[in-house]
């Protein structure tokens, strides 16, 4: 039975047939968001490596941050009759029609690293993501623990507007700091997950907050925006990591470099290996019809300067 036939069938004992688990037979279309960050570039290259380890033919379409390009790519994968589709959805809404088309074509869809709205739950097989609300909470808890009772004004660099991870990372951070009356979020704006935008927005925050004197900490939804913000702080004559604390998300090599230089304080890890667990779930599904869990959750761990050098060494060739 093919992967597509399995997806179309309901889970039943009849599916528990002895099927060859040969990933080499699979062609998978991956609609990737783009290359907005170091993390994204790493996810693309790790996905290629994971596919090639399993001899899967992975076709990657770069959407250049545009949902309409992702929808076109999915339609093209359906027309090519691929065995499965991986989708990293740039935003969380607007997927119902195209995912219904994939379902009608009996092509299983796996979400990678971002979610879609709950109304689309029946339209995909599984989602491999972190708990992005928890990531925000971990960042907020780290800040609360670090500042203690001290009054602390925070500025926030949000990710792409409408992306599940941006909404959730904000929600988690807000919840964590709400327990601490001394910590206040004074400014929050999108930096679209890019270094250049992160720098630009941080420059405006610094100007608006007495040259940065009123800012105690920056929370960025990814490390790339933080790297841009660090540059903005330096150009304004501030010492990032000392005058202004930093906490961000991803754990990419450049943020560990900044930590080693004393310019960054904390990052929450997001693994770039979303494709490995997705491919394993598809292989198991193909082998005996085992439906994967609806959510395959990856870990979210905080890293600080004590281990920065070692973490940089571990990751530098991956990215
Ligand atoms: O969806 C994951 C986020 O997208 C990463 O944290 C960010 O770097 C990327 O662009």
């Amino acid at each position: 039975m093919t992967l597509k036939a399995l997806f179309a069938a309901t889970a039943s004992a009849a599916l528990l047939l002895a099927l060859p688990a040969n990933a080499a037979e699979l062609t998978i279309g991956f609609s990737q968001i783009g290359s907005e960050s170091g993390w994204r570039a790493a996810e693309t290259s790790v996905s290629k490596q994971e596919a090639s380890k399993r001899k899967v033919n992975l076709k990657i379409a770069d959407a250049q941050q545009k949902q309409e390009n992702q929808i076109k790519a999915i339609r093209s994968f359906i027309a090519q009759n691929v065995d499965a589709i991986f989708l990293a959805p740039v935003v969380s809404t607007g997927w119902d029609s195209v995912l219904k088309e994939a379902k009608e074509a009996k092509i299983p869809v796996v979400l990678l690293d971002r979610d879609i709205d709950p109304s689309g739950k029946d339209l995909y097989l599984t989602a491999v993501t972190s708990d992005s609300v928890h990531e925000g909470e971990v960042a907020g808890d780290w800040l609360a623990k670090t500042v203690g009772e001290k009054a602390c004004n925070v500025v926030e660099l949000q990710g792409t507007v409408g992306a599940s991870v941006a909404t959730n990372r904000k929600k988690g951070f807000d919840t964590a700091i709400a327990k601490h009356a001394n910590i206040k979020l004074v400014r929050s704006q999108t930096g679209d997950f890019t270094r250049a935008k992160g720098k630009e927005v941080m420059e405006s925050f610094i100007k608006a907050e007495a040259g940065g004197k009123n800012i105690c900490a920056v929370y960025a939804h990814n490390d790339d925006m933080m790297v841009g913000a660090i540059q903005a702080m330096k150009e304004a004559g501030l010492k990032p990591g000392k005058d202004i604390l930093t906490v961000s998300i991803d754990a990419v090599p450049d943020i560990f470099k900044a930590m080693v230089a004393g310019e960054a304080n904390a990052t929450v890890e997001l693994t770039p290996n979303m494709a490995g667990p997705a491919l394993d779930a598809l292989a198991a599904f193909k082998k005996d019809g085992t439906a994967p869990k609806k959510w395959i959750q990856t870990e979210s761990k905080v890293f600080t300067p004590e281990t920065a050098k070692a973490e940089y060494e571990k990751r530098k060739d991956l990215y």
Side-chain angles (χ1 to χ4, degrees), residues 58-193:
L58 187 68
K59 298 180 169 190
I60 302 183
D62 177 338
Q64 300 180 339
Q65 322 295 322
K66 293 195 173 76
Q67 184 178 37
E68 65 257 37
N69 290 345
Q70 292 203 284
I71 292 173
K72 268 188 215 147
I74 295 170
R75 291 205 166 113
S76 151
F77 291 142
I78 295 171
Q80 291 168 56
N81 202 21
V82 295
D83 295 295
I85 292 172
F86 287 175
L87 167 64
V90 61
V91 290
S92 57
T93 55
W95 299 103
D96 284 13
S97 304
V98 74
L99 294 189
K100 271 181 197 148
E101 290 167 36
K103 196 168 184 174
E104 274 155 23
K106 302 182 181 29
I107 300 177
V109 172
V110 177
L111 303 183
L112 296 191
D113 82 83
R114 292 188 189 177
D115 270 326
I116 60 170
D117 274 4
S119 61
K121 270 229 152 17
D122 292 343
L123 301 175
Y124 62 88
L125 179 68
T126 181
V128 183
T129 74
S130 64
D131 181 340
S132 46
V133 175
H134 180 62
E135 287 168 346
E137 280 166 355
V138 170
D141 289 345
W142 173 85
L143 184 66
K145 202 169 147 216
T146 305
V147 298
E149 298 301 307
K150 196 184 119 186
C152 184
N153 285 343
V154 185
V155 295
E156 177 184 39
L157 295 164
Q158 294 184 36
T160 304
V161 176
S164 62
V165 285
T167 311
N168 293 343
R169 286 171 183 175
K170 171 154 193 56
K171 185 173 166 195
F173 187 80
D174 288 351
T175 306
I177 64 166
K179 295 176 226 146
H180 306 272
N182 57 316
I183 304 178
K184 277 201 188 68
L185 187 64
V186 292
R187 288 183 190 270
S188 182
Q189 207 177 304
T190 181
D192 213 9
F193 281 129

Side-chain angles (χ1 to χ4, degrees), residues 36-37 39-40 113-114 165 169 193 221-222 249-250 270:
E36 73 281 3
S37 65
W39 184 89
R40 183 68 53 196
D113 82 83
R114 292 188 189 177
V165 285
R169 286 171 183 175
F193 281 129
H221 291 189
N222 81 346
I249 295 168
D250 276 357
L270 177 70

